[in-house]
Amino acid sequence: SVQEAARFLVQAKRPVLVVGDEIWKSGAQSEIVTLSERLGMAVYDTRSSFANFPTQHPHYLGMPGDGFNLNIMKTESARLGIDVLVMAGARDLGGEEVPESPELPPQARVIRMGLDTGAMSRNYQTDVALVGSMKETLGDLISSAESLLTKEKFSAIGASRSQEVRSISTAQRKEAIAMMRANFGHNPIHPDELGAVLARTIDQDAIVVDENF
């Protein structure tokens, strides 16, 4: 139930979100950002057609794995210890290859949300299933979680978790920028430098289409 999922989230030490295509399909981007910010949750993405979560947000930690074979165990959050995993409109972990080891922490409770019940528990367990529109379900979950604690306690939990998530995203971005800059100055120009030049010069509202996806 929504109440049970809310209790898991407020009692957890390190809950994590994995977002999928049902977010943008239901127009729930605002709600998923609110949930992440209010509860200080790290956000991992899946291979999607459109944006489910703002990639420049300090809680956004990218895709775990190569996009086809999602593996939460390869993340910094897993190294620190995930105790609740929320699959928010995302397909189950597991992809085109049989993994050598589990792809999510075996001790973590798993909450699944969305309308695609065929994608739930295909490879891994479910502790709580919330079947319904992502936009409405997320709104109910946020309200339920807020009702369990005082405003001050709720804010304190979110702020403490957020500080840790922000430290991870800051370190990841610094590493990515260093790797990108190592490819500058080549002839012909490296795609990393080309992308950096485009990011600095094109209009902020420009739409860039990737013909390879």
Side-chain angles (χ1 to χ4, degrees), residues 19 33 36-37 41 43 45 51-63 162 165-166 168-170 172-174 176-177 180 195-196 199-200 204:
V19 296
V33 170
S36 171
E37 291 180 344
M41 298 175 68
V43 177
D45 208 352
N52 295 302
F53 196 90
T55 58
Q56 296 302 312
H57 194 286
H59 288 185
Y60 182 82
L61 300 181
M63 283 194 296
S162 179
V165 177
R166 288 167 183 264
I168 297 173
S169 65
T170 298
Q172 285 187 352
R173 283 173 171 78
K174 285 182 178 179
I177 290 172
M180 178 183 68
R200 292 196 307 267
Q204 289 187 346

Side-chain angles (χ1 to χ4, degrees), residues 156-168:
I157 289 175
S160 176
R161 293 173 178 169
S162 179
Q163 185 176 12
E164 178 183 272
V165 177
R166 288 167 183 264
S167 69
I168 297 173

Side-chain angles (χ1 to χ4, degrees), residues 15-206:
V16 163
L17 277 165
V18 177
V19 296
D21 272 344
E22 286 196 50
I23 298 294
W24 70 262
K25 287 178 179 178
S26 65
Q29 290 95 333
S30 176
E31 286 79 5
I32 199 69
V33 170
T34 298
L35 180 65
S36 171
E37 291 180 344
R38 296 304 309 275
L39 284 165
M41 298 175 68
V43 177
Y44 290 96
D45 208 352
T46 54
R47 190 174 179 88
S48 302
S49 302
F50 297 95
N52 295 302
F53 196 90
T55 58
Q56 296 302 312
H57 194 286
H59 288 185
Y60 182 82
L61 300 181
M63 283 194 296
D66 60 11
F68 292 100
N69 300 285
L70 304 176
N71 193 334
I72 295 297
M73 294 304 294
K74 294 183 178 180
T75 65
E76 179 66 11
S77 298
R79 187 188 69 80
L80 294 170
I82 298 171
D83 49 0
V84 173
L85 184 69
V86 181
M87 304 296 291
R91 62 182 175 84
D92 200 1
L93 299 180
E96 298 178 346
E97 300 175 358
V98 177
E100 296 180 356
S101 59
E103 297 157 304
L104 60 79
Q107 77 281 1
R109 288 172 165 169
V110 180
I111 300 170
R112 300 185 190 274
M113 298 188 290
L115 290 169
D116 186 4
T117 56
M120 297 181 179
S121 299
R122 294 189 68 179
N123 301 311
Y124 293 96
Q125 85 280 1
T126 297
D127 293 285
V128 179
L130 304 178
V131 180
S133 163
M134 286 303 305
K135 191 174 183 67
E136 295 177 2
T137 301
L138 285 167
D140 291 343
L141 183 60
I142 293 166
S143 297
S144 185
E146 290 175 337
S147 71
L148 295 175
L149 301 171
T150 64
K151 183 177 180 180
E152 293 75 16
K153 180 65 174 177
F154 193 84
S155 296
I157 289 175
S160 176
R161 293 173 178 169
S162 179
Q163 185 176 12
E164 178 183 272
V165 177
R166 288 167 183 264
S167 69
I168 297 173
S169 65
T170 298
Q172 285 187 352
R173 283 173 171 78
K174 285 182 178 179
E175 181 180 3
I177 290 172
M179 293 175 63
M180 178 183 68
R181 288 179 175 168
N183 292 319
F184 285 11
H186 294 183
N187 188 11
I189 189 171
H190 191 279
D192 285 348
E193 185 172 8
L194 178 60
V197 172
L198 287 173
R200 292 196 307 267
T201 57
I202 64 175
D203 190 275
Q204 289 187 346
D205 295 325

